Structures are given as structure tokens and as C-alpha cells.
Amino acid sequence: MSEPSNNGIIRWFHDLDAEDSGVAGGKGANLAALAQAGLPVPQGFVVTTVAYEALVDSPQIRDAIDHLDALDSTETNTLTAVAADLRSLLESRKFDASIETAITDATASFENTASFAVRSSATAEDLPSASFAGQHETFLGVENEAVLNRVRDCMASLFTDRAVAYRAHNEIAHGDVQMAVVVQPMVDAEAAGVLFTTDPATGNRHIASIDASFGLGESIVAGDVTPDHALVNTQTDEVVEYTISTKTIAVELQRDTITGENTRRIEPVGRRPVETGGTRRIELSPDRRESRVLTDDQLRTLVGLGERAERLLGAPQDIEWALVDGQFVLLQSRPITSLFPRPSPLPVDERLHVYISMGHMQAMPEAMPPLVRDIWRTYTGNALSAAGLSNPTVEAGGRVFIDITSFLRHPGLQSGLIERIAAINEPISAGLDEIVSRRSKEFESRGVTIGALPGYVATAGRVALLVGPAIPRIIWNVFGALAGRGPTPDESWDRLGDLFVGEVTDSETTEGRARAVFEAIDIGRILREAYPRISPLFLAFTLGGWLMRTFPDHADDVNAVGRGFERDVVTRINLGLGDLADVARGHPQVAAALRDGASLTDLEKVKGGEAFVEAFDGFLDEFGHRSTGEIDLSRPRWSEDPSMLHAVVQANLTDEEVGDHRERIRHLESEAEAAAVRLESLADYGLLGPLRRRYVRWLIRTYRDTVYLREYPKQAAARAFTVWRTALLDAGELLAAEDRLNRPDDVWYLRRDELFAALDGKDVNVDIAARRREHARDVGVDAPPVLTSEGEAVRGHVDRGTVPEGALVGTGVSSGVVEGVARIIRDPKVTTVERGEILVAPSTDPGWTPLFLNAAGLVSEVGGPVSHGALVAREYGLPAVVSVPEATKQIRTGQRIRIDGTRGTVELLDVQSATTNEVGTEQPEPDSSRVE
């Protein structure tokens, strides 16, 4: 096989370097690397980007590409039209004579080759962050004379609608991408398929997943056949699963005429073989349909090749393979980009570790930038080091996870921990139960050695010193609440917030305040001061559980006695917003200006505007430190960006009358009193009935005197978060002024030690732009609630019994059934809920509180019975279902749904009526909801 000189137009696999993706594209570079490492790759060559550059070297084509890059990703119709014009221009172009000669000479050098596989290989393809799988064209069974045209078609496929949309979504400039093309002799496969060196369904890095069918792999790629499916443990070589599917057809090489048509255009097969283009589809005989494609030994051989490819290419791989004359060949290999990252740092021992998502526990599972993650890891580490324990936190996918393996290995703690977590987040509890049941040997206790006893004793002693001094005050406060001397929401809660602030406000320098965020928090003092203050809340939750167990058939009444508190933080926020709307109603010009979207500055010029601005400032004085996702300190607080509050006030002006918001609370209070009377009457039976009635009345009174305090600790902590945020932003301002950062908010993309070094005057050698891009990718990935050190995203099963067909299942946290129009909201600053709509959100923390004013119900992707969304929903009597996986993707704005907050189900009533889930563009009718 000769290798003619071609000025870089043609590069053979053995002549390429791993770094040559710029000329060979991702697919070509990977295949070359595999071939040079001795893996079984059919010999081939790459038509390099030199040929592509010549093909697009036209003013008209260059202008069209520039036009494409100038378009916004949301301009889908224009993107599609420009892309179609580009493809047409490229398909009508001819290669230069030198390029044609180089390609034809290369294909002619293969003797006795009937046909070729011609595959696109873009320079922005098979990247760790974007695989571009299926975005560009592949042609199989291409005869020698047709290769040139198919190469051009592959290059034109750089501008398919799907490829253009994919690049726009991943913020990859169209002009920065070029196309190379891989050409190989076509293999006549007896079987083919896909090997994932990591199981993409679970993310487990020690399980390989294989799909296999007879003939060429095109039948699998095109979805024409359900392949056999196997799982292999790469540590033990055990075939842990093999599912034989019913395979009705196979795709094989055409034996006579070969035209080189794209195999995706083959028509459905009939009773007889259909011969079209370079491949044909045949029906399999009944005995082969149910037969196994690969043996266990073949699976192990294939997985071994995949492991070699993964080690060589440095990441888990998605590999297309074929079985030819009993031997495997690898046809292409790309990184698996859909995997959630493994925890970092990984454990130093060789045992399985299990981590739970801190974000899911806090009902805020979104990714956070590096500096914010460092804050929470430092805070958690400081808290545990005070007790003599190591920091159990790790990072993955821009989130913080907590290692709870030691608790799961403790026979006396495992079941109790899983049960208690269920009250906070049911999917986490279900995931833990699933992993400890399936892999019980990993969690067998290895006992406590004599040498370890001093450590346990020391830890117990430190905990006693930390919490012991607070125990008398805890007991005093609990008995005080039982005696009717419950705590009151006074300035003492603000003092609790001051404990979290530590010395952040005391330092006289910007550098000192920034360091204090990480270094100056007295964990012992916080525990000693906070536990006594919040102890009545533990009493309230205990009494709530007792009431639910005592009156299991009257859950609605038990829920009702926990509502209607004007002193509740959530209620105060919503009452304050309602009062603002009433102030605006008292000044018609202000109300009109608000409806037109006027800012606070604009309102000052309107008659009555000063009164409204003064009232708004008063609201911000009390609650301006809150925000959505407020544990993410990089997010603006309401005082910095009040746009969400403006939207809520505008909605109130449209949907409510004067005083409606306060009448609603009075109604809830009346319902609570009536429910209390009903529960008391249920206890009034028999000789001791009057005593039981008074006992229940006393417990309900105690419950109501304490449970409304549930949001006060968060209110206090949120004040501290705002102080921390201000201190770190001030540090960003300082570094930007010194030209160490481009802009102040770059500070969020530093690590703690990098920030300290910069404050010490050292240069910031950090690629902030790359970290911003990484953060943006993390934001777009759903995090699992439970993750293992093997990378497995563990999702347990919660049995709900019989549920309506097609219904989504979650955790019911506020009873009742409501039917209405869904409103998907991912960012409350962009849009709000209209009266009677059902709020569907990825999560809801205290910053989402104003949206509950108009909502008829709640569906959330995360949360549990005591999460913020659940508490607010119960307070307002809204049916609510949380922990509904992918709710914002499964449900569409404008779609009518029915949620059952008792059973935990969400029914999609009119699938066809869905509009779009792009926030801010939906226009459903805000009418109608029906609560049962």
C-alpha cells in the first residue's frame, strides 16, 4: 500500500499524533491513537482539514459562516435557514484537482477493497465535554468512485441543523470548527454494537455496558433493532447481566451494486431482503432472533479492549465495534460526556464509599462556583474537626457531597440514619437503602480495635465539651415551651445570626474580612448558643409526628393546625409583599407604573411613588438579605436585585384586591382553630375522655406556639450569608482594582487558597474563563442525590402502590388534590406564577417564598417533608409533591396537570397542549385550577 505525497491532504493512521485533532478531527485522532497502540483498528486514512479549508475558501461561504456565528442560539428559524444555505453551497463545490488526486490515490492504494466507510471527524468532536455523537454524517458501503462525493457530503454535514444547534448550545463558535473525514475499508461484520467502558445508566466506573446485534452496527444506531444487552464487572470479569432481545432484522453489506447512499435513508424491510445502496436489511430467521450474539468469553475480550482504549485515551469511552471472522475490530471511540463526575478526592482505602448530596439535603441541588464550594467544605470541616473528626466532604459536578460511609458501616446507626433521612429527603433514603441492600458485604462492620478505643473516647469527650454546657438551657427551653412560655421571635434570633458572622464584620481590612469568612467562625459557641434557641423546634416536630401517628385518618386536620401564623417568617414575607401591593393600589399612578414595569427610580417621579419606595425600602431592610438559592453566596440578594419582588407585586395588583392577602391568613387561622376542635373531640371518648381532650388541646397549643419558629434559624443564617457575600465581593473589588482579576465577580471562580494568595499580593494564574465554562456545564447537569466512589448514581425505588398510568411519582408533602395549568420556573427573577397556576420548579428554598402567593400547588424536583417548599405549601394549604425526577423536563408550561399531595403523584392530563419550557416565553391561560 503506497502513501503518495499529498501536502498534508491525506494522513494515514500510523502517521498521526494524538495531538493531531486539529487536522484529523476528534474521531480521526482517536482512531490513530488506538491503531498505533496496537488495538485492532481497520487501517485507514484521514482527509484532513486542509481539504476542508480549501472547500470553504469562498467569500460567500465565509460570509455565511460569519452570519451563523453572529446569530443568537435562540434564533432557531434563522439558524436553520442559514445552515441549509451553507450545506447547499458546500455540496455544490468541487475539490481542487490536487485534493481529488490525493483522495483517489489513497483509496486506490487499497487492493481488492469493494467498499469504504466514510465518517465525519470534526475538530470539535469527541471532546471530553461535547461528543457531538450523531450530529454529523456517516456513509457505509461506499464504492471507490463515490468516496470523493461522500467526503464532501461529510464536510457539508458540519452544518446540519442538529450540529449547528448543538454547537450553539455548547457555546462553540461555528467558525472555529473544521471538518476532517475518516476513510476505511468496509468490514463485513457478523455482529456489531456499542461498548461503554462505564455503565452510562448508573455511572458505575467498574461496570462495562455492551449492546450487540447481528450484522452491521447500523441497525442499533438507527434504532431498527433492540440489541442484546450485557453488563460486565471490570474488576472481576463477571458477566453480571445478559439480556437476549428479539432481533428481527440485521444490516449487512450489499453484495452486488454499491452506490454509496447514506444508510439512514434505507426503507423499512419487507418479507424479502431489500437491496438499497451499500448495505441491505435482511430478516433474521426465527431461531436466530432469540439467539445470543456474544459469548461470555467474547464479552470479556471486548471489555478488555475497551479498558485498554480507556487507559490510552484517558477517559471512559463509547466504542463502536464489529466482530469480523471471529475477531473484534474497533471502528470508533469517543468519550462518554454524559457521566456525572466521580467524587474528588477519592477515598484512600479500597472499599466502597457512599456520599449524599448536601444540596439535595438543603433543597438546593444546583451547582455552585469553586469559592462557594470551599466555604461549605471549610465550614463542615471546622465543625467536625472541633469534635476530633475528619472532613467528610468531597466535590463532584460543582456540588458538595458528604461521605456517610462510616455511619452505614455501623450496625447500630445504619437503619436509624436511613429512616431519619427519609423525613428530609426520601430519594436519598431510598438510594441508601438500595445500595446497602444490594452490596451488603461492603458495609459489614470490621469491629472496633483496642487501638481505636482512645480515639472514640476522645471524640466523645470533645462532643460533650462542645454541647454539654448547652444541655441545661435546652431542657429549660423545652419545659418552658411545654409550660406555655414558648420562645418569641425577637432580636435574640438576630444575635444567632451574629454568631455565624464571627469576626467578618470586625476586621478593619478587606483582606481580613475575606479571610474571616473561612477562619473566624467559633463552632463551639454556635452549637452552645444555637441548640438551646432552636430546641423548641425539635419539640414542635416531635409533637407534629405524635399528632400524625395519633390521628392517622385525619391528616388534613393535623396539617391544618400547623397553619395560619402571622409571625411565621414565610408569612411575614408574603404579607409584606401584599402590603406593598396595597400601598400601590392607594396610588393609582404608582399601580399603573408598576404594571408597565417601572423601576424604583422611575417610581420616585410618579405621584405617590415616594410612599411606595419608602415602603419597599422598609421591606428590604427586613428581608433584603434573602434570595433564591441563598446558600450559593455568588447569587445576588433581593436588596441587590429586587426584580423578582417587583414581579410578585405586579402579579398581586392583577390578581388580588385590597387586603386579600391578610384575609387569607385569617382564614387559615380559623381553619386551624376548627381543626384543633375536631382533633380534640376525637380524643373525647370514654371515662377519661375529658382528660384526653384537655391533653390534646395542650399539645396542640404547644405545637402552634413553637412550630411557627421553623424559618427563624434560616432567617438569621441568611443575614450571615449576606455578610459573607459582601466580604468576598469586596475582596473581588480590591483584586479587580489591582488588575489581579478582570472583574469583581471573578472572585467566585478562585479557590480559597488562591484567594488568600492573591490577597497576599501574588499573581492569579487561573484560567477564570475556563472555570466559568466548567461551571456553566455543571449547572446544566442534574446531580444524583446519592453517589458512590465508583461513580454510580444510586437511585432507589419508593413503592407508591398503584398509581395512574403515565403519572410522575414523588413524595407527597402537603395533602390535597389540585388540577390546573403548570408553570415551569427555573429562575424566579425572569417570570412569576399567575393566580391559579401550579408552580413546577427544580427546587424551592426561602427565596422562592413570594411565588407561593398565587400558586395553586407545587411540584418540585427535590425536597422532603421538612424542606422549605413543603413547609410553605402546608402553611398555605397548597397540595405539593416534591422529589419528582426531571419534573421540569417531563412537564410543559401551559399543560394541565393534576397533583395529589397525599399520594405523591403528578398526572399529565393534556400532553398535546404543552407549549415551551423556556422561562419567560410561556403564555398560558392563568384561569382555572380546581382543588378537591
Side-chain angles (χ1 to χ4, degrees):
M1 182 167 50
S2 62
E3 300 178 13
S5 174
N6 52 66
N7 297 319
I9 297 167
I10 299 299
R11 296 283 294 276
W12 297 88
F13 286 170
H14 64 259
D15 190 37
L16 281 164
D17 295 327
E19 297 78 17
D20 276 350
S21 60
V23 296
K27 188 181 284 98
N30 284 353
L31 283 173
L34 296 177
Q36 292 172 31
L39 282 128
V41 175
Q43 179 58 284
F45 62 87
V46 178
V47 182
T48 69
T49 54
V50 172
Y52 171 82
E53 279 291 302
L55 189 67
V56 301
D57 190 16
S58 152
Q60 190 176 10
I61 291 175
R62 296 288 187 188
D63 288 346
I65 295 174
D66 291 341
H67 184 195
L68 203 61
D69 271 328
L71 295 172
D72 188 89
S73 61
T74 60
E75 299 178 73
T76 53
N77 291 336
T78 308
L79 282 169
T80 299
V82 175
D85 289 342
L86 261 171
R87 292 196 303 275
S88 179
L89 288 170
L90 289 170
E91 288 166 355
S92 65
R93 291 268 291 174
K94 287 188 176 183
F95 286 117
D96 295 342
S98 60
I99 296 174
E100 288 190 2
T101 300
I103 295 173
T104 54
D105 286 351
T107 55
S109 66
F110 290 96
E111 298 178 359
N112 301 319
T113 298
S115 62
F116 294 87
V118 181
R119 295 184 172 94
S120 303
S121 181
T123 54
E125 183 175 75
D126 295 350
L127 303 175
S129 60
S131 72
F132 280 83
Q135 307 303 317
H136 307 123
E137 294 294 354
T138 288
F139 301 92
L140 304 180
V142 181
E143 66 177 352
N144 197 313
E145 292 76 10
V147 169
L148 197 63
N149 289 335
R150 298 294 81 80
V151 168
R152 185 183 57 237
D153 291 343
C154 280
M155 291 183 173
S157 76
L158 189 63
F159 300 102
T160 61
D161 295 345
R162 57 187 181 272
V164 167
Y166 192 85
R167 285 196 296 272
H169 175 73
N170 286 278
E171 298 183 349
I172 298 174
H174 307 287
D176 291 345
V177 184
Q178 297 175 317
M179 181 67 82
V181 179
V182 174
V183 180
Q184 295 169 284
M186 193 71 192
V187 297
D188 193 1
E190 56 206 71
V194 180
L195 161 67
F196 294 96
T197 61
T198 288
D199 183 10
T202 65
N204 191 323
R205 268 53 169 194
H206 299 317
I207 298 292
S209 172
I210 303 97
D211 287 338
S213 192
F214 295 116
L216 300 176
E218 184 69 9
S219 60
I220 297 176
V221 175
D224 292 332
V225 67
T226 300
D228 285 5
H229 180 69
L231 298 176
V232 178
N233 187 313
T234 57
Q235 291 181 307
T236 64
D237 283 340
E238 176 191 2
V239 180
V240 295
E241 176 183 318
Y242 194 104
T243 303
I244 300 175
S245 70
T246 301
K247 301 166 287 293
T248 57
I249 68 162
V251 175
E252 64 176 27
L253 273 179
Q254 180 61 272
R255 297 296 192 267
D256 43 22
T257 57
I258 299 176
T259 64
E261 289 297 316
N262 186 340
T263 58
R264 290 189 178 90
R265 299 169 186 163
I266 296 177
E267 295 297 323
V269 71
R271 295 292 297 175
R272 299 175 61 187
V274 177
E275 300 179 359
T276 307
T279 60
R280 65 177 184 174
R281 295 168 52 166
I282 62 169
E283 287 189 352
L284 294 173
S285 61
D287 59 323
R288 292 195 74 199
R289 292 180 181 184
E290 305 293 338
S291 62
R292 181 168 170 166
V293 177
L294 297 177
T295 66
D296 282 2
D297 285 343
Q298 286 175 323
L299 287 170
R300 295 186 185 102
T301 299
L302 179 59
V303 168
L305 293 174
E307 290 182 279
R308 289 175 60 190
E310 179 177 312
R311 287 193 297 270
L312 178 68
L313 299 175
Q317 295 293 299
D318 165 1
I319 299 171
E320 292 186 20
W321 57 269
L323 187 65
V324 183
D325 297 329
Q327 301 297 316
F328 288 106
V329 294
L330 307 184
L331 303 176
Q332 68 180 54
S333 186
R334 62 170 67 93
I336 307 173
T337 59
S338 60
L339 297 174
F340 193 79
R342 292 180 75 182
S344 177
L346 287 168
V348 294
D349 61 21
E350 296 182 357
R351 299 184 69 182
L352 177 74
H353 283 243
V354 177
Y355 309 85
I356 62 175
S357 164
M358 187 189 87
H360 281 76
M361 295 289 285
Q362 294 292 324
M364 208 296 286
E366 288 86 352
M368 298 181 289
L371 192 64
V372 179
R373 299 198 299 270
D374 279 352
I375 289 171
W376 293 117
R377 291 193 65 196
T378 301
Y379 180 83
T380 304
N382 288 348
L384 291 176
S385 64
L389 301 174
S390 59
N391 191 337
T393 61
V394 297
E395 295 184 19
R399 281 83 169 176
V400 175
F401 285 79
I402 303 171
D403 188 343
I404 63 166
T405 310
S406 59
F407 296 98
L408 297 178
R409 290 176 185 165
H410 194 294
L413 297 177
Q414 184 188 99
S415 60
L417 174 68
I418 294 174
E419 181 180 344
R420 282 167 176 76
I421 286 180
I424 302 172
N425 188 288
E426 203 170 26
I428 291 180
S429 176
L432 294 177
D433 188 57
E434 195 276 338
I435 192 70
V436 300
S437 299
R438 173 163 50 90
R439 303 184 64 176
S440 57
K441 289 185 179 180
E442 299 280 0
F443 302 98
E444 291 177 352
S445 173
R446 297 185 177 177
V448 179
T449 64
I450 297 298
L453 282 175
Y456 282 94
V457 172
T459 297
R462 290 190 183 95
V463 172
L465 288 174
L466 285 173
V467 183
I471 292 177
R473 292 174 57 203
I474 292 173
I475 295 173
W476 174 261
N477 285 347
V478 168
F479 276 99
L482 289 170
R485 302 191 309 272
T488 57
D490 55 20
E491 67 279 358
S492 64
W493 290 95
D494 291 336
R495 289 200 297 271
L496 178 61
D498 292 341
L499 296 176
F500 286 91
V501 171
E503 298 175 12
V504 175
T505 57
D506 297 337
S507 178
E508 296 181 356
T509 67
T510 299
E511 296 92 331
R513 290 191 293 274
R515 289 179 182 275
V517 172
F518 295 92
E519 298 175 346
I521 297 174
D522 187 340
I523 297 297
R525 186 182 174 203
I526 288 175
L527 294 177
R528 290 189 295 272
E529 292 290 333
Y531 275 18
R533 210 175 303 275
I534 66 177
S535 56
L537 271 178
F538 298 140
L539 173 64
F541 295 145
T542 300
L543 292 177
W546 179 88
L547 287 169
M548 194 62 75
R549 291 190 300 273
T550 304
F551 304 104
D553 297 329
H554 301 273
D556 288 346
D557 281 340
V558 173
N559 284 331
V561 297
R563 300 172 184 155
F565 305 107
E566 284 197 27
R567 295 177 295 178
D568 180 270
V569 170
V570 168
T571 304
R572 286 168 52 200
I573 290 173
N574 283 340
L575 287 177
L577 291 170
D579 289 345
L580 286 173
D582 281 353
V583 171
R585 289 187 184 95
H587 302 279
Q589 293 183 29
V590 173
L594 279 170
R595 292 189 184 98
D596 291 337
S599 67
L600 287 177
T601 303
D602 295 333
L603 288 173
E604 290 178 342
K605 306 170 186 176
V606 176
K607 183 178 180 180
E610 291 184 2
F612 179 84
V613 171
E614 182 179 355
F616 198 92
D617 287 343
F619 178 89
L620 292 180
D621 286 343
E622 190 168 10
F623 300 112
H625 61 287
R626 308 306 296 262
S627 73
T628 58
E630 58 196 11
I631 68 170
D632 182 352
L633 303 190
S634 70
R635 299 191 180 191
R637 311 290 112 165
W638 285 345
S639 57
E640 302 168 67
D641 180 6
S643 57
M644 174 187 176
L645 305 178
H646 278 236
V648 172
V649 173
Q650 290 168 10
N652 287 352
L653 287 172
T654 302
D655 299 321
E656 292 194 348
E657 301 295 332
V658 174
D660 279 356
H661 57 296
R662 292 195 172 272
E663 179 57 36
R664 185 184 301 120
I665 297 302
R666 286 192 290 268
H667 176 69
L668 289 171
E669 187 174 7
S670 297
E671 284 187 338
E673 293 172 355
V677 170
R678 288 192 293 271
L679 293 176
E680 291 168 18
S681 66
L682 291 171
D684 192 0
Y685 62 89
L687 185 63
L688 299 178
L691 289 176
R692 278 194 296 268
R693 182 174 190 137
R694 284 195 291 273
Y695 177 67
V696 170
R697 181 184 305 145
W698 170 58
L699 291 181
I700 290 176
R701 185 207 69 204
T702 304
Y703 176 62
R704 286 186 59 81
D705 283 348
T706 52
V707 74
Y708 77 92
L709 293 166
R710 55 201 163 198
E711 291 292 328
Y712 276 86
K714 289 184 180 179
Q715 171 81 346
R719 290 190 184 278
F721 299 164
T722 300
V723 173
W724 295 356
R725 169 178 164 79
T726 301
L728 294 173
L729 275 179
D730 287 347
E733 293 273 5
L734 175 65
L735 295 175
E738 295 176 349
D739 291 329
R740 298 181 185 278
L741 293 177
N742 289 332
R743 58 196 215 202
D745 66 348
D746 283 348
V747 72
W748 303 117
Y749 298 92
L750 298 176
R751 306 305 309 217
R752 179 188 64 176
D753 292 344
E754 294 166 350
L755 171 63
F756 290 175
L759 292 173
D760 286 339
K762 298 177 181 177
D763 291 336
V764 180
N765 297 315
V766 177
D767 190 341
I768 297 293
R771 288 188 180 176
R772 283 183 179 274
R773 290 193 298 271
E774 181 182 16
H775 176 60
R777 288 194 298 270
D778 289 338
V779 168
V781 176
D782 291 333
V786 179
L787 185 67
T788 74
S789 52
E790 297 173 346
E792 180 178 358
V794 185
R795 304 186 188 276
H797 174 69
V798 180
D799 186 9
R800 298 289 183 217
T802 303
V803 299
E805 184 178 357
L808 307 180
V809 178
T811 302
V813 294
S814 184
S815 60
V817 177
V818 64
E819 180 180 314
V821 170
R823 169 75 73 169
I824 311 297
I825 294 185
R826 295 185 179 87
D827 184 353
K829 297 192 298 293
V830 177
T831 189
T832 190
V833 177
E834 302 295 336
R835 173 55 63 87
E837 292 178 333
I838 295 174
L839 170 61
V840 183
S843 62
T844 55
D845 66 1
W848 289 71
T849 293
L851 273 66
F852 287 75
L853 273 173
N854 290 320
L858 167 69
V859 178
S860 176
E861 292 180 338
V862 299
V866 297
S867 63
H868 175 82
L871 295 174
V872 178
R874 289 197 293 271
E875 168 68 15
Y876 277 68
L878 306 178
V881 183
V882 300
S883 290
V884 181
E886 297 189 327
T888 59
K889 299 175 183 176
Q890 299 288 334
I891 304 170
R892 295 281 185 176
T893 287
Q895 186 173 15
R896 199 164 190 83
I897 64 175
R898 179 188 298 118
I899 67 175
D900 187 331
T902 304
R903 300 176 66 194
T905 60
V906 182
E907 295 177 73
L908 313 182
L909 302 180
D910 53 350
V911 178
Q912 299 304 317
S913 72
T915 53
T916 176
N917 278 6
E918 292 301 320
V919 175
T921 62
E922 313 93 338
Q923 296 295 331
E925 291 296 324
D927 74 298
S928 48
S929 61
R930 182 172 73 250
V931 179
E932 301 172 9

